[in-house]
Amino acid sequence: MGNFSIVIPTYNERDNIVKLVEEINRIVPYNSRILIVDDNSPDGTALILQELNIHNLTVLIRHNERGLGSALRYGISKAIELESDFIVTMDADFSHNPKYLPEMMKIALNENCDLVIGSRYVIGGGIENWSLSRRIISKGANYLFKLVSHSPIMDNTSNYRIYSRRAALLALECDTTNGYEFQICSIFKIIRNNLKIKEYPIIFVDRKTGKSKLNLKEILNWFLYIIRLSLSF
C-alpha cells in the first residue's frame, strides 16, 4: 500500500481548514499524512490546527515567505523527507472536494501513474460559481500553454494533483516559480521527461468562505511565465 502525504498551503483559511482535515481523515482509505503549509496567517489558521492534536497532521509555519508555488515546493520537499511514495497537492477552501481523493489515489497506485490531475476540462469535469472573466483567464492560460508546449493535458493549471516521488522531484526543479506558475512549470518538467499522466474529472466549486488569493499580479506572472517558456523552445 502506498504511503501518501497530502500537502495543503494555507493563508487565512481558519473557516475552512478544520472541516477539510476532518473530511479527509473520514474518507481517505490509505496510510496518509496531512502537511499544512501556513504562511503565518493572521487569522490564527495554524493555531486552531495545532489545537486539534490529530495524529497524522503536521502544521508547518513559514514566517518570511509567501506564494503558492513556494509553499507547494516546501510542502513537497517535506513530504519527500518523510519518504512518501505519493504526494497530493490541493487547495484549502473546498474548491477541491476531498471526495475525489480515494479514486485519484487508487489510479496513482494501480495504474502506475506519475501524475494524476483533478481536471476541470475533461468529460465529466466542470466549474461552478466562477465569473466569465475567471473562466476566460483559466481557459486562456491552458490554451496558451498547450500551444507553446504541445501538452496533451486538458487542465494544466489545476492544483489538485497526486505526484509520484519521481514526478515530485522534477517539480522541485521549478525553484524560481513562487506563484501560480508552479503548476505550469511542474507539468512542463514532467511532460519533457515522458512520465505517465492521467486526468480525472472533478467539479471545481469556487470558495464559499474566505478570499481568493488569485489577483491581477498573479495572473500577469502566469502569462509572462508561459511566454518566457515559449522562448526556451
Side-chain angles (χ1 to χ4, degrees):
M1 185 174 291
N3 179 358
F4 286 82
S5 284
I6 302 170
V7 174
I8 309 174
T10 58
Y11 185 73
N12 288 345
E13 294 290 357
R14 180 187 178 99
D15 294 337
N16 294 304
I17 194 61
V18 173
K19 294 177 184 177
L20 180 62
V21 168
E22 291 174 345
E23 183 68 5
I24 289 170
N25 275 336
R26 186 180 71 82
I27 65 174
V28 169
Y30 300 105
N31 177 30
S32 64
R33 303 180 183 90
I34 301 174
L35 305 179
I36 305 295
V37 182
D38 185 70
D39 284 355
N40 199 24
S41 298
D43 74 345
T45 297
L47 180 62
I48 195 172
L49 285 169
Q50 290 168 333
E51 291 174 348
L52 293 177
N53 196 29
I54 295 175
H55 76 282
N56 68 331
L57 173 65
T58 300
V59 182
L60 305 165
I61 304 173
R62 305 194 309 163
H63 293 279
N64 300 312
E65 294 181 80
R66 290 289 186 273
L68 177 64
S70 62
L72 289 171
R73 282 201 313 275
Y74 185 73
I76 289 170
S77 66
K78 290 296 181 183
I80 287 173
E81 289 176 13
L82 293 169
E83 300 184 351
S84 303
D85 299 310
F86 297 95
I87 300 163
V88 179
T89 62
M90 64 187 299
D91 294 348
D93 59 6
F94 275 98
S95 56
H96 296 151
N97 196 319
K99 73 179 183 180
Y100 299 116
L101 277 175
E103 191 62 32
M104 290 173 67
M105 288 174 162
K106 191 183 298 182
I107 292 169
L109 277 170
N110 297 340
E111 299 187 25
N112 197 30
C113 287
D114 289 292
L115 183 64
V116 181
I117 300 173
S119 178
R120 300 160 290 184
Y121 300 135
V122 293
I123 294 173
I127 297 169
E128 293 183 0
N129 303 329
W130 260 13
S131 65
L132 178 61
S133 61
R134 186 80 183 267
R135 290 173 185 267
I136 291 171
I137 289 166
S138 178
K139 283 279 193 177
N142 269 284
Y143 176 78
L144 184 58
F145 179 72
K146 285 171 67 68
L147 187 67
V148 303
S149 69
H150 306 292
S151 169
I153 307 305
M154 297 301 296
D155 194 345
N156 296 276
T157 58
S158 171
N159 184 44
Y160 203 0
R161 300 179 176 184
I162 301 179
Y163 296 87
S164 70
R165 187 177 178 86
R166 63 177 177 173
L169 288 169
L170 286 172
L172 289 179
E173 294 179 7
C174 298
D175 54 3
T176 61
T177 54
N178 293 324
Y180 285 78
E181 66 272 21
F182 175 82
Q183 286 99 318
I184 296 170
C185 176
S186 53
I187 284 278
F188 180 71
K189 298 277 187 184
I190 290 167
I191 290 172
R192 291 295 287 271
N193 282 272
N194 297 312
L195 301 191
K196 185 176 179 180
I197 304 172
K198 183 163 185 178
E199 294 183 86
Y200 181 81
I202 66 164
I203 301 298
F204 180 100
V205 181
D206 200 19
R207 65 165 59 240
K208 292 182 172 63
T209 61
K211 185 178 179 182
S212 173
K213 313 304 185 295
L214 185 64
N215 54 39
L216 181 59
K217 181 180 178 182
E218 293 283 4
I219 293 166
L220 288 173
N221 286 338
W222 216 4
F223 282 98
L224 286 172
Y225 181 78
I226 296 173
I227 292 169
R228 290 199 303 271
L229 193 64
S230 70
L231 298 176
S232 70
F233 284 87

